[in-house]
Amino acid sequence: MKKLLIILCTAAIALTLGACGSNAGSSASPNASASADASSSSASQTAVPSFATLGDAFAVEADSSSYAYSDEGLAYAYEHDGTQVRVTADMTKEVYDACDKISYDDPEHDAKVRAELSSLPVKSVEDLTKSAVPQSELDGFVGKTGKDLLDNGFTNPSFFGADGECQFYMDNGYHQYTVVFNEAAPADAETADAEQTIAPLTVKSISYMGLSSAASDPDASAV
């Protein structure tokens, strides 16, 4: 069975959850101040970097980053100066086994795992800022329903009501967006089927949030 390890880092803080032999994950909020339009503007002035190995990619002082790997491959996504990049590599048995031996209880777990992964040759490098939905297009969903969002490629709604508003995170490809609905949040919003919950609700606002989990999923092929 394929095992997947996901590690997210923000401002040099690594959070890892999980146990050996099972899936592992972590929760960390993306950069809330990110802007799709601003990112696109920065990206137009910045060339897509070229890396020979994952070590070269890890050496970039990222503002935020995350990576996940399985026994078949790895994806590393990071943001630096408004540019978002996704790097992939094929996994080798030797490197995978070496990472598997590192204890989750080790306070230097992330650093040691990165050291093992650093030798892997880079397979691809993508500029993710180009695939974010522009704010001008997002504004076109105001007044439409949650079903309209679902029908147009938005997925994985996750309730996070704040400030008394009905708010959800939603993914679209490699990116995540904050959606605020006009209606009050249902009492069972945290436990009910999220897609059914948002389907009849009308969009008050939608804005860019950050990279989605697909960006650091080695099996994802979002566009």
Side-chain angles (χ1 to χ4, degrees):
M1 179 179 292
K2 183 184 299 183
K3 181 172 70 174
L4 183 68
L5 173 69
I6 304 173
I7 298 179
L8 292 90
C9 308
T10 302
I13 300 177
L15 302 175
T16 62
L17 300 174
C20 183
S22 62
N23 289 348
S26 68
S27 59
S29 296
N31 187 349
S33 63
S35 165
D37 290 338
S39 296
S40 297
S41 175
S42 298
S44 64
Q45 304 174 20
T46 306
V48 177
S50 177
F51 304 120
T53 66
L54 281 176
D56 296 332
F58 288 153
V60 175
E61 294 185 3
D63 301 319
S64 61
S65 66
S66 63
Y67 65 90
Y69 65 83
S70 68
D71 55 359
E72 296 181 359
L74 174 145
Y76 171 62
Y78 71 86
E79 181 170 356
H80 177 65
D81 288 341
T83 299
Q84 298 164 327
V85 178
R86 183 177 191 258
V87 183
T88 65
D90 289 327
M91 181 60 72
T92 67
K93 185 178 186 306
E94 293 73 20
V95 170
Y96 182 81
D97 288 346
C99 292
D100 200 36
K101 293 177 182 178
I102 301 173
S103 172
Y104 290 100
D105 295 327
D106 190 328
E108 297 183 356
H109 177 272
D110 178 53
K112 291 181 178 180
V113 168
R114 285 186 180 231
E116 295 294 344
L117 297 172
S118 291
S119 63
L120 294 175
V122 167
K123 182 179 181 180
S124 67
V125 180
E126 301 171 75
D127 181 358
L128 300 188
T129 56
K130 296 180 179 180
S131 60
V133 180
Q135 186 61 49
S136 57
E137 291 186 24
L138 295 176
D139 291 340
F141 287 102
V142 174
K144 294 187 178 181
T145 66
K147 185 178 185 305
D148 290 321
L149 291 175
L150 294 169
D151 290 343
N152 282 274
F154 287 85
T155 62
N156 302 323
S158 176
F159 177 71
F160 75 106
D163 299 325
E165 292 188 307
C166 181
Q167 301 185 39
F168 281 77
Y169 290 135
M170 294 190 73
D171 297 343
N172 188 309
Y174 290 134
H175 304 277
Q176 188 174 68
Y177 303 82
T178 300
V179 182
V180 180
F181 292 100
N182 288 300
E183 294 78 8
D188 61 349
E190 294 185 22
T191 57
D193 182 285
E195 292 192 359
Q196 291 184 10
T197 296
I198 70 168
L201 305 182
T202 56
V203 177
K204 178 179 180 181
S205 67
I206 178 170
S207 58
Y208 186 74
M209 182 65 183
L211 294 176
S212 69
S213 59
S216 55
D217 181 349
D219 295 325
S221 58
V223 177

